[in-house]
Amino acid sequence: MKNIIFILLSGLVIVSCEQKKESGINTGEYIGQNFKIYEEITTEQIIEHIKYIALETDSLCLLQNPQQVKFINDTLFILDKENLFTFTNKGKFVAKIGNKGRAPTEYIHLTSFFVDSKNSYAAIFDNINSKILKYSFKGEFIESISIKQNIMQFVNQIDFLTKENAIICSYSLPFEPLSMPNSLSTISLKDYSIISAIPYKIKSTGRALVNFSSHPITLSQDSSLIPLCIEPFSNKIMGYVNDKFVVKYTVKTIDPIVSVQTLESLTHSFNNYFDVFENIQKNKKSVGIKNIYETTNYILLSIGGKDKTYSALYDKKKKKGAFYLNYYSNITSSYHDVLLGLSGSSSTYKDQFILLLNQPLQDIRNTYIQESKNQDFVSILKATSEDDNPIIAFIELKDSIPF
């Protein structure tokens, strides 16, 4: 195992973590300017406790490609391709939410979903029909609501805001001018109108319709926290307060963020987002924050650097943090760019990160059963087979992490 090393960011001026203003623009809390850079960090150095849940395997709920996971009201909601399933907090299968089809109670394309914990319903957004379909947690149809097409077109992720009785949405990058003018918005569930929105910095990314982020919004079900979110090509973390988006944090990334002027130039020169992305890296610039996860104590970011994706972890109480270039998982015996191996299907719940172990179970069994000191995990692995549904891990971090 490599030894952990760190490098002090050179040429940086130490700035207070108090709220700052640059040229009259609110930058929120400024972080990252005194972060150390760690070449590598391991599971054993940062994780305090892991709780494993084996999802029940049944012909009615075979998961193929999980994309989103939410844990609400002691229920796991898992979006898998174009199906939404619910499981108990013990992993027992409960129901399949909705069905694909053309009937009034069905959807054509399940784009994303949200959960109203107060009124105990799950809502699916059908982008093709531009409608929201509500179901009980057991999959019983409640109602269907038509939405103006330009309000939620190309939505990527949706989360429910209990206090505001609204939803917060992020969108795919616009593939042509004004195909989707906003990167983030909040929508009232009273009249389905836009409350607040953040326009895209660029008008188009060419012909490719892509998701810049697989986890642009974080909402950990901790009532003391506000929703945090990110917009493309930015080092700003936005919060939603008093019916508007405000900058809560500005992150001093390792590499400088690509400028809006450069983005506009690149999008006029190339046909699609992938060429734009490649040329940003050739210019030795960062594409900014790609994914965000928040728990009660921590904010975890994945950041697109000029050479690779890396992680930033910030302790909100201690006002300390660090950058990590590589993460070694003792769980799967593998390296990851992102801390804990988090992905778009990961999420958070209060003080825990939720990780779906989607690597083939047989691979994990072969490498981990012999090495693991966690008997709970070993017993779960021994009880599973290669074709079983994935395992969910609830991860709690240590209080003393190398910063």
Side-chain angles (χ1 to χ4, degrees):
M1 192 70 63
K2 297 179 182 178
N3 292 326
I4 299 296
I5 65 171
F6 66 84
I7 307 165
L8 286 174
L9 294 178
S10 59
L12 298 180
V13 178
I14 304 301
V15 183
S16 166
C17 282
E18 297 299 319
Q19 186 163 301
K20 299 290 177 184
K21 287 194 175 183
E22 296 174 359
S23 304
I25 300 174
N26 177 30
T27 62
E29 186 177 324
Y30 204 73
I31 62 175
Q33 71 281 355
N34 57 349
F35 281 15
K36 297 173 183 177
I37 304 176
Y38 286 77
E39 181 67 28
E40 181 185 309
I41 195 164
T42 69
T43 299
E44 295 175 344
Q45 292 176 292
I46 62 172
I47 293 180
E48 178 69 29
H49 177 72
I50 305 178
K51 176 185 177 182
Y52 297 100
I53 299 174
L55 297 178
E56 179 184 354
T57 302
D58 187 281
S59 60
L60 298 175
C61 62
L62 289 176
L63 303 182
Q64 300 178 51
N65 183 29
Q67 297 162 292
Q68 294 181 30
V69 176
K70 302 180 194 291
F71 185 62
I72 301 171
N73 282 14
D74 283 335
T75 302
L76 281 161
F77 296 84
I78 300 180
L79 173 61
D80 179 74
K81 297 185 77 172
E82 289 194 38
N83 296 301
L84 180 61
F85 300 102
T86 56
F87 296 82
T88 69
N89 59 1
K90 303 294 184 182
K92 184 176 176 55
F93 172 61
V94 177
K96 180 175 179 288
I97 307 294
N99 289 291
K100 192 171 182 178
R102 296 187 176 274
T105 62
E106 298 174 330
Y107 56 84
I108 295 178
H109 182 253
L110 199 171
T111 310
S112 188
F113 76 100
F114 65 91
V115 178
D116 182 340
S117 58
K118 183 178 179 180
N119 294 304
S120 298
Y121 71 80
I124 286 172
F125 178 63
D126 181 348
N127 186 56
I128 302 298
N129 281 327
S130 194
K131 64 180 182 179
I132 290 175
L133 298 98
K134 295 182 181 179
Y135 302 87
S136 72
F137 289 177
K138 294 182 179 180
E140 300 157 334
F141 177 76
I142 299 174
E143 65 174 331
S144 174
I145 301 163
S146 296
I147 309 294
K148 290 183 180 179
Q149 189 171 17
N150 64 336
I151 296 290
M152 295 179 68
Q153 190 176 25
F154 306 129
V155 72
N156 173 19
Q157 182 182 339
I158 310 171
D159 275 295
F160 178 71
L161 306 178
T162 305
K163 181 181 177 182
E164 295 86 353
N165 190 30
I167 51 177
I168 182 169
C169 305
S170 68
Y171 300 86
S172 300
L173 289 167
F175 65 96
E176 60 185 21
L178 300 180
S179 63
M180 188 60 246
N182 298 320
S183 63
L184 293 162
S185 74
T186 50
I187 298 171
S188 169
L189 291 182
K190 294 179 180 178
D191 57 7
Y192 295 91
S193 62
I194 292 178
I195 303 171
S196 183
I198 298 179
Y200 271 114
K201 293 180 179 179
I202 53 176
K203 295 178 181 178
S204 170
T205 54
R207 299 171 186 161
L209 177 63
V210 294
N211 294 329
F212 172 82
S213 171
S214 58
H215 202 276
I217 302 169
T218 181
L219 196 60
S220 71
Q221 307 305 313
D222 185 330
S223 59
S224 67
L225 302 179
I226 63 169
L228 295 181
C229 45
I230 55 174
E231 53 180 328
F233 308 108
S234 174
N235 63 337
K236 302 287 194 296
I237 298 175
M238 311 299 293
Y240 188 68
V241 184
N242 297 327
D243 293 338
K244 63 181 180 180
F245 291 99
V246 297
V247 179
K248 295 299 293 181
Y249 300 91
T250 296
V251 183
K252 178 67 177 179
T253 55
I254 296 175
D255 311 306
I257 301 289
V258 62
S259 68
V260 175
Q261 291 78 10
T262 300
L263 278 174
E264 289 287 359
S265 173
L266 289 173
T267 53
H268 282 98
S269 302
F270 298 96
N271 286 330
N272 62 66
Y273 165 79
F274 305 102
D275 291 335
V276 171
F277 191 91
E278 182 180 345
N279 276 270
I280 290 172
Q281 292 182 313
K282 285 182 179 178
N283 285 309
K284 306 298 182 183
K285 301 296 184 182
S286 169
V287 298
I289 303 169
K290 296 175 69 174
N291 290 315
I292 180 169
Y293 310 88
E294 183 186 29
T295 64
T296 304
N297 297 323
Y298 293 100
I299 294 175
L300 195 161
L301 309 171
S302 68
I303 300 171
K306 62 181 178 64
D307 297 315
K308 69 186 296 293
T309 298
Y310 59 92
S311 300
L313 184 66
Y314 181 61
D315 187 320
K316 295 179 290 182
K317 293 182 179 179
K318 296 179 180 178
K319 304 290 184 184
K320 292 182 179 181
F323 296 117
Y324 305 95
L325 303 185
N326 296 284
Y327 168 71
Y328 181 77
S329 170
N330 299 96
I331 301 172
T332 58
S333 298
S334 57
Y335 283 93
H336 303 268
D337 290 335
V338 181
L339 213 62
L340 306 179
L342 297 184
S343 64
S345 62
S346 306
S347 60
T348 59
Y349 177 72
K350 296 186 177 179
D351 63 345
Q352 298 172 309
F353 293 92
I354 302 175
L355 174 64
L356 191 144
L357 299 179
N358 207 26
Q359 183 179 351
L361 287 177
Q362 193 62 36
D363 293 351
I364 300 175
R365 286 164 57 86
N366 291 341
T367 58
Y368 200 71
I369 285 181
Q370 304 301 321
E371 304 172 11
S372 177
K373 297 177 182 178
N374 189 310
Q375 294 305 310
D376 290 339
F377 189 44
V378 169
S379 62
I380 287 176
L381 285 177
K382 288 182 176 179
T384 60
S385 63
E386 184 176 359
D387 296 326
D388 280 355
N389 273 336
I391 295 170
I392 298 281
F394 284 74
I395 303 171
E396 185 178 344
L397 299 188
K398 292 181 176 180
D399 287 331
S400 56
I401 291 176
F403 290 141

